[in-house]
Amino acid sequence: MKLVLLSLFCAVLGLLNAWPENPQRRRPWWNQLPRTIGARSVVESSSRIVGGVAVNITEFPYQISLSSASGSHMCGGSIIGSRWILTAGHCAFSSEKPLQQVRIGSTDRTSGGKVLRLDRVVQHPQYDSYAIDYDFALLELKQDLLFDESNQAVELPRQDEELADGSLCRVSGWGNTQNVQESSRYLRAADVPSVNQEQCATAYESFGGITERMLCAGYKEGGKDACQGDSGGPLVSGGKLVGVVSWGLGCAQPNYPGVYSRVASVRSWIEEITGI
Ligand code: ARG
């Protein structure tokens, strides 16, 4: 069921990125041109980070844009070390020669900053595209980053570090719109409180609930949220990367908070792969 949700909300993303870098890969059905997506995609098509404000990369120096070989924005991600980016499992594809690239240090996702190639993509071994469980991937850069005011690593939580309900979190990204040229070109961010795990599980009960690798954030009345194209991007609380944009029912809908991959649940795996 969650796959269906993800499908709906990432369909625009899929459409905009025909994976030209990997013609052998069969386009999954949820990335086909959807005649069946209907009203929902129309309703969401003008959404980006919903209810947020335009921000500068220097305020979010860990934010990166993950793009296809042709350079079109696909997903967000976060710098976690001089050579490593953390993004969502559904944003990255393991391959011997990764062709996706990242843009760092730019508020504008179409130019500026630096575009870097990837050396390696490590999807979480337990990533489950059906349940959207363990929705994480680590991207190793070909070269070390030089940190400056627009490029910085974000701090990570400890393994299983808890996040108190109602903690203020900040989500950022360049979520896609159908008007690609303008509306999602510059970085935006929104503040959302973390939601109690049981409450979120109840909200999503009919969609298979949520796992311990997920956390939710949003207002009961909706209005502020991540949206398609923000996936893989950072949810930061108290200076730590607590979540990775993953999925949700629509965007900014009342009673349906955004669902994020819970970074603290895979902190040891991150260390094992990256040494960070
Ligand atoms: N799966 C979407 C993507 O790939 C992100 C959806 C986030 N949705 C939400 N309501 N927070 O961009």
Side-chain angles (χ1 to χ4, degrees):
M1 195 59 207
K2 278 181 212 143
L3 176 62
V4 177
L5 290 177
L6 180 75
S7 314
L8 290 172
F9 310 127
C10 296
V12 176
L13 177 68
L15 286 175
L16 289 168
N17 298 281
W19 309 111
E21 70 273 23
N22 204 347
Q24 277 86 12
R25 189 186 161 81
R26 279 184 58 169
R27 182 193 284 242
W29 64 265
W30 63 88
N31 276 346
Q32 306 273 342
L33 190 63
R35 281 175 297 278
T36 49
I37 280 190
R40 207 190 300 279
S41 72
V42 174
V43 168
E44 292 171 357
S45 62
S46 62
S47 312
R48 43 194 139 169
I49 283 272
V50 181
V53 294
V55 295
N56 193 282
I57 193 75
T58 53
E59 303 164 69
F60 298 79
Y62 45 83
Q63 171 89 50
I64 65 97
S65 158
L66 177 65
S67 59
S68 59
S70 62
S72 50
H73 170 85
M74 298 170 54
C75 275
S78 305
I79 300 173
I80 59 165
S82 58
R83 252 187 133 81
W84 290 96
I85 307 289
L86 181 64
T87 186
H90 79 267
C91 287
F93 298 97
S94 307
S95 112
E96 300 245 306
K97 280 212 176 102
L99 290 162
Q100 287 173 293
Q101 50 195 22
V102 300
R103 185 184 296 275
I104 60 160
S106 181
T107 305
D108 180 346
R109 69 165 164 72
T110 65
S111 67
K114 261 192 197 152
V115 176
L116 303 173
R117 303 208 150 274
L118 303 180
D119 199 34
R120 195 153 62 111
V121 173
V122 187
Q123 224 175 20
H124 195 285
Q126 282 153 284
Y127 168 60
D128 174 345
S129 61
Y130 183 78
I132 321 180
D133 204 4
Y134 292 94
D135 193 11
F136 298 99
L138 287 162
L139 314 177
E140 186 172 12
L141 300 172
K142 269 205 195 308
Q143 65 201 81
D144 279 345
L145 294 178
L146 287 177
F147 291 149
D148 60 22
E149 58 158 11
S150 310
N151 306 285
Q152 286 292 332
V154 63
E155 203 186 315
L156 297 171
R158 296 185 310 274
Q159 176 71 36
D160 298 324
E161 183 170 334
E162 289 193 15
L163 182 66
D165 296 347
S167 299
L168 191 66
C169 303
R170 188 159 275 189
V171 62
S172 49
W174 292 272
N176 278 331
T177 73
Q178 285 189 334
N179 194 344
V180 178
Q181 285 89 342
E182 353 173 308
S183 39
S184 64
R185 182 169 166 187
Y186 300 100
L187 187 61
R188 298 185 75 85
D191 287 341
V192 278
S194 62
V195 171
N196 172 272
Q197 193 81 352
E198 279 72 50
Q199 263 168 6
C200 189
T202 305
Y204 282 109
E205 202 161 19
S206 52
F207 303 98
I210 58 165
T211 71
E212 281 164 26
R213 273 71 53 190
M214 300 173 191
L215 71 84
C216 307
Y219 290 95
K220 195 165 172 35
E221 64 274 23
K224 293 189 183 198
D225 197 4
C227 203
Q228 54 270 61
D230 289 318
S231 273
L235 180 77
V236 168
S237 185
K240 293 180 186 175
L241 182 68
V242 294
V244 173
V245 178
S246 182
W247 61 280
L249 176 70
C251 302
Q253 295 296 306
N255 303 311
Y256 289 102
V259 185
Y260 297 80
S261 322
R262 186 185 285 273
V263 177
S265 72
V266 295
R267 183 63 185 89
S268 327
W269 170 72
I270 294 174
E271 183 173 10
E272 191 187 304
I273 303 294
T274 67
I276 296 165

